[in-house]
Amino acid sequence: MAQHFKFFNSATGDKRTYQAQDFAEYFGSVLSTGLLHTDKTPGMSVSVEAGTLNTIVSAGKAIMSGHLYENTTPLTLVHSIPEPTLDRIDRIVLRLNLQNSERNILLHVKEGLSSANPVAPALQRDQFIYEISLAQVRIRANTVQLLPSDLVDERLKEDLCGLVYSLISIPTSQFQEQWDLFFLQKSAEVQQAADAYLQALLAAEQALQNDLQNFQQTWDDWFSQQQSGSFILQTEKGVAGGVAKQDDYAAHIEKASSLTERGHVQLSSSTTSTSTNLAATPSAVKIAMDRANAAFQQANDAKGLIAPAITAKGVPASPSDTFAMLAGKIGQIEGEGKRYVKGTSSATNAKIYEVSGLSFKPSMIFVHQFSVSGNDIFWVYVGDVYSDFSRVTSLQGAEMLIQDDGFRLTLSFFQSFIINKSVLWQAFE
């Protein structure tokens, strides 16, 4: 097996001589064939000479199988006259010719065949000839000039021409192809996981809404029964202090405890008994009552902000009014020419809710959000653009920015106990 090495100086008695092909083989082993470029912008662009059958190639450099080529000034190439009825496609090529009679790199017009459906001529690439295509141009039948719109630049097509790159690095197209494949795979995995999470979240939300509806009905039925005579009132006390009603009361406590154990925990402790102290009730019921009282307090505080705002609009309202009554009174404001819109908004991220596209600038906003614990969260905004955002909750801070056609609610941080990212809102002019 022969061993080769290049390049070294000659010495006395040891002459080292090399051929031009030796240098071409060296450069051809580390650099690809193509156009040399500056910031991926190659020279040797092709343009059409107006009113003629000529094309012009600008200055530029190329490497062809390790051989260097340079065009220092714009060079004009002449295309032959087309046939009267058929078009053809010519290519402008840079051709390396290794035949002993040639040994050069020159620009040529590679003429195509005339046809009803012409195609560009194939490039010759063998042991003696190697061509790269700078451009192709359609030579239309029975014409004496070329059209710029018929010229197609092919310099950046790697299979036809391309830019010079290092053969010891990964070609750009190969790397891009591998990256695109990897990115598509990861994108599909992320999308699949996101879809699964969204489906699970929607299912959990629906289940919770169903539980809330079922509990509301159970609560209404239970409370109605209590109003029919099950509570121990002062007037019902007998000689033994209401002993006759004691069994009924214990039965109701047991039923409430059963509801609590199934997850229905919003009970009210506003009704008291003269014969049984609240501390004596089961602990689960007491916890439920405490949570319900917190939710009721938040709702009352919210009404304490809404009612004065409605009154300020000319419609009398009181914090003791129910939400249904307050909503009706808000409707009365609307009847006087004030506009009102309500809807549902989802967070653009974990912290921001944004509503736009309203036909008016809001002056009062009411936001309601459910929580896992059952302590619903209420926010009320009343005032000008730079007024502080009043929050009727100790669980989470917020900031409100009023805009000409809507508003933006930004939370100080996202709470894990929130059921979902959606909120119910009402905006008033």
Side-chain angles (χ1 to χ4, degrees), residues 106-250:
L106 297 173
L107 287 167
H108 296 272
V109 172
K110 192 175 183 70
E111 189 172 302
L113 299 177
S114 299
S115 170
N117 296 299
V119 295
L123 299 177
Q124 181 178 351
R125 293 177 176 179
D126 53 38
Q127 61 177 335
F128 297 110
I129 304 294
Y130 194 93
E131 296 174 336
I132 59 176
S133 177
L134 303 181
Q136 62 172 264
V137 61
R138 192 181 188 99
I139 313 298
R140 297 198 175 269
N142 196 28
T143 186
V144 293
Q145 63 179 349
L146 302 178
L147 300 177
S149 58
D150 288 333
L151 183 71
V152 179
D153 190 345
E154 297 184 317
R155 291 175 299 163
L156 297 182
K157 297 182 179 180
E158 290 190 2
D159 57 330
L160 301 176
C161 181
L163 305 180
V164 173
Y165 59 84
S166 172
L167 294 176
I168 60 177
S169 64
I170 300 176
T172 303
S173 61
Q174 179 181 347
F175 177 79
Q176 187 66 45
E177 181 180 354
Q178 293 175 351
W179 167 255
D180 290 344
L181 179 60
F182 170 79
F183 184 79
L184 288 175
Q185 291 174 342
K186 292 302 179 184
S187 297
E189 293 176 5
V190 172
Q191 187 61 50
Q192 184 178 5
D195 291 343
Y197 173 77
L198 180 59
Q199 291 299 323
L201 188 61
L202 291 176
E205 179 180 0
Q206 185 59 51
L208 183 56
Q209 293 298 333
N210 293 339
D211 285 345
L212 290 174
Q213 293 176 3
N214 293 336
F215 169 71
Q216 185 64 49
Q217 185 60 50
T218 302
W219 166 260
D220 291 342
D221 294 344
W222 181 83
F223 190 75
S224 177
Q225 293 174 7
Q226 310 318 304
Q227 289 180 317
S228 65
S230 296
F231 282 113
I232 306 174
L233 304 179
Q234 182 70 28
T235 57
E236 295 175 332
K237 286 186 177 183
V239 177
V243 175
K245 295 294 184 177
Q246 185 67 35
D247 293 339
D248 290 341
Y249 182 83

